[in-house]
mmCIF file of all heavy atoms in Angstrom:
data_model
loop_
_atom_site.group_PDB
_atom_site.id
_atom_site.type_symbol
_atom_site.label_atom_id
_atom_site.label_comp_id
_atom_site.label_asym_id
_atom_site.label_seq_id
_atom_site.Cartn_x
_atom_site.Cartn_y
_atom_site.Cartn_z
ATOM 1 N N LEU A 1 0.829 -1.211 0.000
ATOM 2 C CA LEU A 1 0.000 0.000 0.000
ATOM 3 C C LEU A 1 0.858 1.253 0.000
ATOM 4 O O LEU A 1 0.520 2.245 -0.653
ATOM 5 C CB LEU A 1 -0.911 -0.016 1.234
ATOM 6 C CG LEU A 1 -1.860 1.176 1.403
ATOM 7 C CD1 LEU A 1 -2.807 1.283 0.215
ATOM 8 C CD2 LEU A 1 -2.644 1.041 2.702
ATOM 9 N N PHE A 2 1.982 1.212 0.701
ATOM 10 C CA PHE A 2 2.909 2.348 0.756
ATOM 11 C C PHE A 2 3.343 2.744 -0.656
ATOM 12 O O PHE A 2 3.269 3.913 -1.047
ATOM 13 C CB PHE A 2 4.120 1.966 1.608
ATOM 14 C CG PHE A 2 5.071 3.097 1.899
ATOM 15 C CD1 PHE A 2 4.986 3.812 3.081
ATOM 16 C CD2 PHE A 2 6.066 3.433 0.992
ATOM 17 C CE1 PHE A 2 5.869 4.847 3.353
ATOM 18 C CE2 PHE A 2 6.949 4.465 1.253
ATOM 19 C CZ PHE A 2 6.859 5.171 2.434
ATOM 20 N N PHE A 3 3.778 1.741 -1.440
ATOM 21 C CA PHE A 3 4.262 2.042 -2.794
ATOM 22 C C PHE A 3 3.112 2.306 -3.763
ATOM 23 O O PHE A 3 3.298 2.993 -4.769
ATOM 24 C CB PHE A 3 5.164 0.913 -3.283
ATOM 25 C CG PHE A 3 6.488 0.881 -2.584
ATOM 26 C CD1 PHE A 3 6.766 -0.077 -1.618
ATOM 27 C CD2 PHE A 3 7.457 1.823 -2.855
ATOM 28 C CE1 PHE A 3 7.974 -0.092 -0.954
ATOM 29 C CE2 PHE A 3 8.677 1.823 -2.200
ATOM 30 C CZ PHE A 3 8.939 0.857 -1.243
ATOM 31 N N LEU A 4 1.947 1.755 -3.477
ATOM 32 C CA LEU A 4 0.777 2.057 -4.299
ATOM 33 C C LEU A 4 0.358 3.513 -4.111
ATOM 34 O O LEU A 4 -0.020 4.189 -5.074
ATOM 35 C CB LEU A 4 -0.378 1.120 -3.940
ATOM 36 C CG LEU A 4 -1.593 1.139 -4.877
ATOM 37 C CD1 LEU A 4 -1.185 0.729 -6.297
ATOM 38 C CD2 LEU A 4 -2.674 0.203 -4.364
ATOM 39 N N LEU A 5 0.445 4.013 -2.901
ATOM 40 C CA LEU A 5 0.147 5.429 -2.636
ATOM 41 C C LEU A 5 1.142 6.327 -3.363
ATOM 42 O O LEU A 5 0.773 7.382 -3.880
ATOM 43 C CB LEU A 5 0.200 5.700 -1.133
ATOM 44 C CG LEU A 5 -0.970 5.158 -0.301
ATOM 45 C CD1 LEU A 5 -0.661 5.269 1.191
ATOM 46 C CD2 LEU A 5 -2.255 5.919 -0.627
ATOM 47 N N MET A 6 2.403 5.904 -3.405
ATOM 48 C CA MET A 6 3.412 6.691 -4.116
ATOM 49 C C MET A 6 3.127 6.766 -5.599
ATOM 50 O O MET A 6 3.522 7.729 -6.268
ATOM 51 C CB MET A 6 4.803 6.084 -3.907
ATOM 52 C CG MET A 6 5.441 6.385 -2.567
ATOM 53 S SD MET A 6 7.173 5.829 -2.539
ATOM 54 C CE MET A 6 7.914 6.962 -3.740
ATOM 55 N N ALA A 7 2.413 5.763 -6.133
ATOM 56 C CA ALA A 7 2.109 5.734 -7.571
ATOM 57 C C ALA A 7 1.068 6.781 -7.939
ATOM 58 O O ALA A 7 0.957 7.153 -9.113
ATOM 59 C CB ALA A 7 1.621 4.345 -7.972
ATOM 60 N N ARG A 8 0.312 7.261 -6.952
ATOM 61 C CA ARG A 8 -0.742 8.245 -7.219
ATOM 62 C C ARG A 8 -0.580 9.420 -6.266
ATOM 63 O O ARG A 8 -1.403 9.643 -5.361
ATOM 64 C CB ARG A 8 -2.121 7.592 -7.036
ATOM 65 C CG ARG A 8 -2.371 6.432 -7.985
ATOM 66 C CD ARG A 8 -3.696 5.744 -7.659
ATOM 67 N NE ARG A 8 -4.035 4.732 -8.650
ATOM 68 C CZ ARG A 8 -3.602 3.481 -8.621
ATOM 69 N NH1 ARG A 8 -2.809 3.096 -7.643
ATOM 70 N NH2 ARG A 8 -3.953 2.615 -9.551
ATOM 71 N N PRO A 9 0.487 10.200 -6.454
ATOM 72 C CA PRO A 9 0.743 11.291 -5.506
ATOM 73 C C PRO A 9 -0.327 12.384 -5.561
ATOM 74 O O PRO A 9 -0.670 12.887 -6.625
ATOM 75 C CB PRO A 9 2.104 11.826 -5.954
ATOM 76 C CG PRO A 9 2.247 11.404 -7.380
ATOM 77 C CD PRO A 9 1.492 10.123 -7.517
ATOM 78 N N GLN A 10 -0.874 12.691 -4.399
ATOM 79 C CA GLN A 10 -1.829 13.778 -4.216
ATOM 80 C C GLN A 10 -1.366 14.600 -3.017
ATOM 81 O O GLN A 10 -0.381 14.260 -2.356
ATOM 82 C CB GLN A 10 -3.239 13.224 -3.973
ATOM 83 C CG GLN A 10 -3.773 12.315 -5.074
ATOM 84 C CD GLN A 10 -4.109 13.066 -6.347
ATOM 85 O OE1 GLN A 10 -4.371 14.264 -6.320
ATOM 86 N NE2 GLN A 10 -4.082 12.362 -7.478
ATOM 87 N N LYS A 11 -2.107 15.657 -2.704
ATOM 88 C CA LYS A 11 -1.724 16.500 -1.576
ATOM 89 C C LYS A 11 -1.748 15.723 -0.260
ATOM 90 O O LYS A 11 -0.957 15.994 0.643
ATOM 91 C CB LYS A 11 -2.649 17.708 -1.491
ATOM 92 C CG LYS A 11 -2.440 18.722 -2.616
ATOM 93 C CD LYS A 11 -3.343 19.929 -2.444
ATOM 94 C CE LYS A 11 -3.102 20.950 -3.548
ATOM 95 N NZ LYS A 11 -3.984 22.130 -3.416
ATOM 96 N N TYR A 12 -2.666 14.770 -0.158
ATOM 97 C CA TYR A 12 -2.817 14.022 1.086
ATOM 98 C C TYR A 12 -1.970 12.746 1.115
ATOM 99 O O TYR A 12 -1.967 12.024 2.109
ATOM 100 C CB TYR A 12 -4.289 13.642 1.290
ATOM 101 C CG TYR A 12 -4.899 12.914 0.119
ATOM 102 C CD1 TYR A 12 -4.691 11.546 -0.071
ATOM 103 C CD2 TYR A 12 -5.667 13.593 -0.826
ATOM 104 C CE1 TYR A 12 -5.225 10.871 -1.151
ATOM 105 C CE2 TYR A 12 -6.209 12.920 -1.921
ATOM 106 C CZ TYR A 12 -5.989 11.572 -2.075
ATOM 107 O OH TYR A 12 -6.518 10.912 -3.148
ATOM 108 N N THR A 13 -1.257 12.445 0.038
ATOM 109 C CA THR A 13 -0.504 11.190 -0.059
ATOM 110 C C THR A 13 0.483 11.031 1.087
ATOM 111 O O THR A 13 0.601 9.959 1.684
ATOM 112 C CB THR A 13 0.239 11.112 -1.403
ATOM 113 O OG1 THR A 13 -0.711 11.066 -2.467
ATOM 114 C CG2 THR A 13 1.129 9.865 -1.466
ATOM 115 N N TYR A 14 1.192 12.098 1.416
ATOM 116 C CA TYR A 14 2.278 11.980 2.396
ATOM 117 C C TYR A 14 1.746 11.853 3.819
ATOM 118 O O TYR A 14 2.405 11.255 4.673
ATOM 119 C CB TYR A 14 3.237 13.156 2.230
ATOM 120 C CG TYR A 14 3.750 13.210 0.810
ATOM 121 C CD1 TYR A 14 3.297 14.171 -0.088
ATOM 122 C CD2 TYR A 14 4.623 12.230 0.347
ATOM 123 C CE1 TYR A 14 3.726 14.175 -1.402
ATOM 124 C CE2 TYR A 14 5.064 12.225 -0.968
ATOM 125 C CZ TYR A 14 4.607 13.198 -1.844
ATOM 126 O OH TYR A 14 5.022 13.195 -3.144
ATOM 127 N N LEU A 15 0.553 12.390 4.060
ATOM 128 C CA LEU A 15 -0.116 12.128 5.334
ATOM 129 C C LEU A 15 -0.430 10.638 5.448
ATOM 130 O O LEU A 15 -0.202 10.016 6.494
ATOM 131 C CB LEU A 15 -1.404 12.951 5.438
ATOM 132 C CG LEU A 15 -2.273 12.685 6.673
ATOM 133 C CD1 LEU A 15 -1.588 13.197 7.930
ATOM 134 C CD2 LEU A 15 -3.653 13.332 6.508
ATOM 135 N N LEU A 16 -0.925 10.056 4.349
ATOM 136 C CA LEU A 16 -1.258 8.631 4.341
ATOM 137 C C LEU A 16 -0.007 7.762 4.467
ATOM 138 O O LEU A 16 -0.048 6.714 5.109
ATOM 139 C CB LEU A 16 -2.020 8.276 3.058
ATOM 140 C CG LEU A 16 -3.406 8.920 2.916
ATOM 141 C CD1 LEU A 16 -4.026 8.554 1.571
ATOM 142 C CD2 LEU A 16 -4.319 8.495 4.055
ATOM 143 N N LEU A 17 1.105 8.210 3.866
ATOM 144 C CA LEU A 17 2.351 7.451 4.010
ATOM 145 C C LEU A 17 2.767 7.392 5.478
ATOM 146 O O LEU A 17 3.247 6.364 5.961
ATOM 147 C CB LEU A 17 3.470 8.088 3.175
ATOM 148 C CG LEU A 17 3.358 7.976 1.654
ATOM 149 C CD1 LEU A 17 4.579 8.604 0.995
ATOM 150 C CD2 LEU A 17 3.205 6.540 1.200
ATOM 151 N N GLY A 18 2.591 8.503 6.185
ATOM 152 C CA GLY A 18 2.901 8.519 7.608
ATOM 153 C C GLY A 18 1.998 7.590 8.395
ATOM 154 O O GLY A 18 2.454 6.887 9.316
ATOM 155 N N ILE A 19 0.714 7.566 8.039
ATOM 156 C CA ILE A 19 -0.237 6.672 8.706
ATOM 157 C C ILE A 19 0.150 5.210 8.473
ATOM 158 O O ILE A 19 0.149 4.398 9.400
ATOM 159 C CB ILE A 19 -1.669 6.945 8.211
ATOM 160 C CG1 ILE A 19 -2.147 8.303 8.744
ATOM 161 C CG2 ILE A 19 -2.626 5.836 8.635
ATOM 162 C CD1 ILE A 19 -3.480 8.755 8.198
ATOM 163 N N VAL A 20 0.494 4.878 7.219
ATOM 164 C CA VAL A 20 0.906 3.504 6.902
ATOM 165 C C VAL A 20 2.170 3.131 7.678
ATOM 166 O O VAL A 20 2.274 2.023 8.219
ATOM 167 C CB VAL A 20 1.125 3.339 5.386
ATOM 168 C CG1 VAL A 20 1.769 1.992 5.069
ATOM 169 C CG2 VAL A 20 -0.194 3.469 4.642
ATOM 170 N N ALA A 21 3.124 4.067 7.751
ATOM 171 C CA ALA A 21 4.354 3.808 8.514
ATOM 172 C C ALA A 21 4.027 3.555 9.987
ATOM 173 O O ALA A 21 4.634 2.700 10.637
ATOM 174 C CB ALA A 21 5.325 4.976 8.376
ATOM 175 N N GLY A 22 3.047 4.288 10.517
ATOM 176 C CA GLY A 22 2.628 4.075 11.903
ATOM 177 C C GLY A 22 2.031 2.698 12.102
ATOM 178 O O GLY A 22 2.337 2.010 13.086
ATOM 179 N N LEU A 23 1.190 2.271 11.179
ATOM 180 C CA LEU A 23 0.587 0.946 11.268
ATOM 181 C C LEU A 23 1.651 -0.146 11.159
ATOM 182 O O LEU A 23 1.573 -1.186 11.819
ATOM 183 C CB LEU A 23 -0.466 0.777 10.172
ATOM 184 C CG LEU A 23 -1.723 1.650 10.310
ATOM 185 C CD1 LEU A 23 -2.572 1.561 9.055
ATOM 186 C CD2 LEU A 23 -2.531 1.225 11.532
ATOM 187 N N MET A 24 2.661 0.103 10.316
ATOM 188 C CA MET A 24 3.742 -0.873 10.174
ATOM 189 C C MET A 24 4.560 -0.965 11.460
ATOM 190 O O MET A 24 5.070 -2.035 11.809
ATOM 191 C CB MET A 24 4.626 -0.512 8.983
ATOM 192 C CG MET A 24 3.888 -0.581 7.659
ATOM 193 S SD MET A 24 4.909 -0.197 6.224
ATOM 194 C CE MET A 24 5.662 -1.788 5.916
ATOM 195 N N THR A 25 4.678 0.148 12.179
ATOM 196 C CA THR A 25 5.397 0.132 13.450
ATOM 197 C C THR A 25 4.636 -0.685 14.485
ATOM 198 O O THR A 25 5.241 -1.357 15.328
ATOM 199 C CB THR A 25 5.617 1.561 13.965
ATOM 200 O OG1 THR A 25 6.240 2.341 12.946
ATOM 201 C CG2 THR A 25 6.514 1.575 15.198
ATOM 202 N N PHE A 26 3.294 -0.641 14.430
ATOM 203 C CA PHE A 26 2.500 -1.483 15.319
ATOM 204 C C PHE A 26 2.692 -2.962 14.984
ATOM 205 O O PHE A 26 2.645 -3.822 15.861
ATOM 206 C CB PHE A 26 1.019 -1.122 15.209
ATOM 207 C CG PHE A 26 0.542 -0.198 16.297
ATOM 208 C CD1 PHE A 26 -0.262 0.876 16.009
ATOM 209 C CD2 PHE A 26 0.907 -0.427 17.616
ATOM 210 C CE1 PHE A 26 -0.700 1.730 17.012
ATOM 211 C CE2 PHE A 26 0.474 0.419 18.629
ATOM 212 C CZ PHE A 26 -0.329 1.504 18.325
ATOM 213 N N ALA A 27 2.909 -3.254 13.706
ATOM 214 C CA ALA A 27 3.085 -4.644 13.291
ATOM 215 C C ALA A 27 4.470 -5.172 13.638
ATOM 216 O O ALA A 27 4.625 -6.318 14.062
ATOM 217 C CB ALA A 27 2.844 -4.783 11.784
ATOM 218 N N ARG A 28 5.483 -4.330 13.447
ATOM 219 C CA ARG A 28 6.871 -4.731 13.715
ATOM 220 C C ARG A 28 7.617 -3.518 14.241
ATOM 221 O O ARG A 28 7.385 -2.402 13.779
ATOM 222 C CB ARG A 28 7.568 -5.215 12.443
ATOM 223 C CG ARG A 28 7.151 -6.574 11.930
ATOM 224 C CD ARG A 28 7.784 -6.848 10.577
ATOM 225 N NE ARG A 28 9.231 -6.786 10.620
ATOM 226 C CZ ARG A 28 10.026 -7.869 10.650
ATOM 227 N NH1 ARG A 28 9.497 -9.074 10.648
ATOM 228 N NH2 ARG A 28 11.331 -7.742 10.682
ATOM 229 N N SER A 29 8.551 -3.737 15.145
ATOM 230 C CA SER A 29 9.294 -2.607 15.709
ATOM 231 C C SER A 29 10.108 -1.871 14.653
ATOM 232 O O SER A 29 10.315 -0.664 14.746
ATOM 233 C CB SER A 29 10.206 -3.087 16.841
ATOM 234 O OG SER A 29 11.110 -4.068 16.372
ATOM 235 N N ASP A 30 10.581 -2.595 13.616
ATOM 236 C CA ASP A 30 11.355 -1.908 12.577
ATOM 237 C C ASP A 30 10.469 -1.122 11.613
ATOM 238 O O ASP A 30 10.957 -0.519 10.664
ATOM 239 C CB ASP A 30 12.253 -2.881 11.813
ATOM 240 C CG ASP A 30 11.490 -4.012 11.150
ATOM 241 O OD1 ASP A 30 10.249 -3.952 11.107
ATOM 242 O OD2 ASP A 30 12.136 -4.961 10.671
ATOM 243 N N GLY A 31 9.156 -1.112 11.874
ATOM 244 C CA GLY A 31 8.263 -0.267 11.076
ATOM 245 C C GLY A 31 8.619 1.196 11.189
ATOM 246 O O GLY A 31 8.307 2.002 10.304
ATOM 247 N N LEU A 32 9.305 1.562 12.294
ATOM 248 C CA LEU A 32 9.758 2.946 12.463
ATOM 249 C C LEU A 32 10.636 3.394 11.297
ATOM 250 O O LEU A 32 10.631 4.572 10.911
ATOM 251 C CB LEU A 32 10.527 3.060 13.786
ATOM 252 C CG LEU A 32 11.167 4.409 14.115
ATOM 253 C CD1 LEU A 32 10.111 5.497 14.227
ATOM 254 C CD2 LEU A 32 11.967 4.319 15.411
ATOM 255 N N LEU A 33 11.374 2.446 10.711
ATOM 256 C CA LEU A 33 12.240 2.782 9.574
ATOM 257 C C LEU A 33 11.436 3.322 8.400
ATOM 258 O O LEU A 33 11.941 4.096 7.586
ATOM 259 C CB LEU A 33 13.033 1.545 9.133
ATOM 260 C CG LEU A 33 14.034 0.972 10.144
ATOM 261 C CD1 LEU A 33 14.643 -0.311 9.623
ATOM 262 C CD2 LEU A 33 15.117 1.985 10.454
ATOM 263 N N TRP A 34 10.160 2.901 8.302
ATOM 264 C CA TRP A 34 9.340 3.337 7.170
ATOM 265 C C TRP A 34 8.984 4.812 7.243
ATOM 266 O O TRP A 34 8.629 5.411 6.223
ATOM 267 C CB TRP A 34 8.091 2.467 7.052
ATOM 268 C CG TRP A 34 8.430 1.130 6.489
ATOM 269 C CD1 TRP A 34 9.002 0.092 7.138
ATOM 270 C CD2 TRP A 34 8.249 0.697 5.129
ATOM 271 N NE1 TRP A 34 9.173 -0.974 6.274
ATOM 272 C CE2 TRP A 34 8.723 -0.627 5.048
ATOM 273 C CE3 TRP A 34 7.708 1.295 4.000
ATOM 274 C CZ2 TRP A 34 8.689 -1.359 3.866
ATOM 275 C CZ3 TRP A 34 7.670 0.565 2.820
ATOM 276 C CH2 TRP A 34 8.166 -0.741 2.756
ATOM 277 N N LEU A 35 9.074 5.402 8.420
ATOM 278 C CA LEU A 35 8.916 6.856 8.502
ATOM 279 C C LEU A 35 10.089 7.529 7.797
ATOM 280 O O LEU A 35 9.913 8.520 7.086
ATOM 281 C CB LEU A 35 8.849 7.297 9.971
ATOM 282 C CG LEU A 35 8.645 8.792 10.205
ATOM 283 C CD1 LEU A 35 7.353 9.280 9.566
ATOM 284 C CD2 LEU A 35 8.646 9.106 11.699
ATOM 285 N N GLY A 36 11.279 6.956 7.969
ATOM 286 C CA GLY A 36 12.446 7.448 7.231
ATOM 287 C C GLY A 36 12.312 7.204 5.741
ATOM 288 O O GLY A 36 12.702 8.039 4.919
ATOM 289 N N ILE A 37 11.729 6.061 5.372
ATOM 290 C CA ILE A 37 11.513 5.756 3.954
ATOM 291 C C ILE A 37 10.515 6.749 3.351
ATOM 292 O O ILE A 37 10.638 7.130 2.179
ATOM 293 C CB ILE A 37 11.022 4.308 3.790
ATOM 294 C CG1 ILE A 37 12.125 3.334 4.239
ATOM 295 C CG2 ILE A 37 10.634 4.009 2.342
ATOM 296 C CD1 ILE A 37 11.708 1.882 4.269
ATOM 297 N N ALA A 38 9.556 7.211 4.147
ATOM 298 C CA ALA A 38 8.611 8.229 3.677
ATOM 299 C C ALA A 38 9.349 9.520 3.328
ATOM 300 O O ALA A 38 8.983 10.218 2.372
ATOM 301 C CB ALA A 38 7.552 8.497 4.740
ATOM 302 N N VAL A 39 10.404 9.834 4.082
ATOM 303 C CA VAL A 39 11.216 11.022 3.775
ATOM 304 C C VAL A 39 11.890 10.855 2.416
ATOM 305 O O VAL A 39 11.897 11.771 1.587
ATOM 306 C CB VAL A 39 12.268 11.262 4.881
ATOM 307 C CG1 VAL A 39 13.208 12.402 4.491
ATOM 308 C CG2 VAL A 39 11.588 11.562 6.211
ATOM 309 N N PHE A 40 12.442 9.667 2.161
ATOM 310 C CA PHE A 40 13.046 9.397 0.852
ATOM 311 C C PHE A 40 12.000 9.511 -0.255
ATOM 312 O O PHE A 40 12.286 10.023 -1.345
ATOM 313 C CB PHE A 40 13.681 8.001 0.826
ATOM 314 C CG PHE A 40 15.000 7.918 1.517
ATOM 315 C CD1 PHE A 40 15.125 7.260 2.732
ATOM 316 C CD2 PHE A 40 16.130 8.498 0.964
ATOM 317 C CE1 PHE A 40 16.342 7.174 3.380
ATOM 318 C CE2 PHE A 40 17.361 8.426 1.597
ATOM 319 C CZ PHE A 40 17.462 7.755 2.821
ATOM 320 N N ALA A 41 10.793 9.023 0.019
ATOM 321 C CA ALA A 41 9.719 9.095 -0.973
ATOM 322 C C ALA A 41 9.433 10.536 -1.350
ATOM 323 O O ALA A 41 9.254 10.869 -2.533
ATOM 324 C CB ALA A 41 8.455 8.429 -0.419
ATOM 325 N N ILE A 42 9.400 11.412 -0.363
ATOM 326 C CA ILE A 42 9.138 12.832 -0.616
ATOM 327 C C ILE A 42 10.264 13.447 -1.437
ATOM 328 O O ILE A 42 10.033 14.163 -2.414
ATOM 329 C CB ILE A 42 8.965 13.582 0.721
ATOM 330 C CG1 ILE A 42 7.686 13.111 1.425
ATOM 331 C CG2 ILE A 42 8.929 15.093 0.503
ATOM 332 C CD1 ILE A 42 7.572 13.553 2.859
ATOM 333 N N VAL A 43 11.501 13.146 -1.057
ATOM 334 C CA VAL A 43 12.665 13.725 -1.756
ATOM 335 C C VAL A 43 12.725 13.250 -3.197
ATOM 336 O O VAL A 43 12.953 14.049 -4.123
ATOM 337 C CB VAL A 43 13.963 13.344 -1.006
ATOM 338 C CG1 VAL A 43 15.189 13.716 -1.837
ATOM 339 C CG2 VAL A 43 14.011 14.040 0.350
ATOM 340 N N PHE A 44 12.488 11.947 -3.436
ATOM 341 C CA PHE A 44 12.609 11.401 -4.786
ATOM 342 C C PHE A 44 11.436 11.793 -5.683
ATOM 343 O O PHE A 44 11.570 11.810 -6.906
ATOM 344 C CB PHE A 44 12.751 9.879 -4.743
ATOM 345 C CG PHE A 44 14.093 9.416 -4.269
ATOM 346 C CD1 PHE A 44 14.205 8.425 -3.297
ATOM 347 C CD2 PHE A 44 15.257 9.965 -4.781
ATOM 348 C CE1 PHE A 44 15.444 7.992 -2.856
ATOM 349 C CE2 PHE A 44 16.502 9.539 -4.340
ATOM 350 C CZ PHE A 44 16.592 8.553 -3.369
ATOM 351 N N GLN A 45 10.276 12.087 -5.086
ATOM 352 C CA GLN A 45 9.138 12.493 -5.905
ATOM 353 C C GLN A 45 9.149 13.990 -6.215
ATOM 354 O O GLN A 45 8.375 14.457 -7.028
ATOM 355 C CB GLN A 45 7.819 12.098 -5.237
ATOM 356 C CG GLN A 45 7.559 10.602 -5.316
ATOM 357 C CD GLN A 45 6.118 10.226 -5.061
ATOM 358 O OE1 GLN A 45 5.470 10.760 -4.179
ATOM 359 N NE2 GLN A 45 5.599 9.289 -5.848
#
């Protein structure tokens, strides 16, 4: 879902990326890394 959201960037996309990263952190402790990956997503887009 994280990469699917990146495929359709909108104004609210990056808020949703943060939400997905939060849910991933609940699933696994290394989900916190996905907040950093969201930063890369913003920079590369």
Side-chain angles (χ1 to χ4, degrees):
L1 180 60
F2 188 96
F3 288 105
L4 191 61
L5 286 169
M6 282 189 67
R8 299 174 173 85
Q10 302 289 336
K11 290 183 178 179
Y12 54 81
T13 296
Y14 304 106
L15 175 69
L16 294 177
L17 290 183
I19 290 173
V20 171
L23 292 171
M24 296 181 84
T25 307
F26 262 136
R28 287 173 58 102
S29 58
D30 58 10
L32 176 61
L33 296 175
W34 285 78
L35 182 59
I37 295 174
V39 174
F40 282 108
I42 293 167
V43 170
F44 287 132
Q45 286 198 318

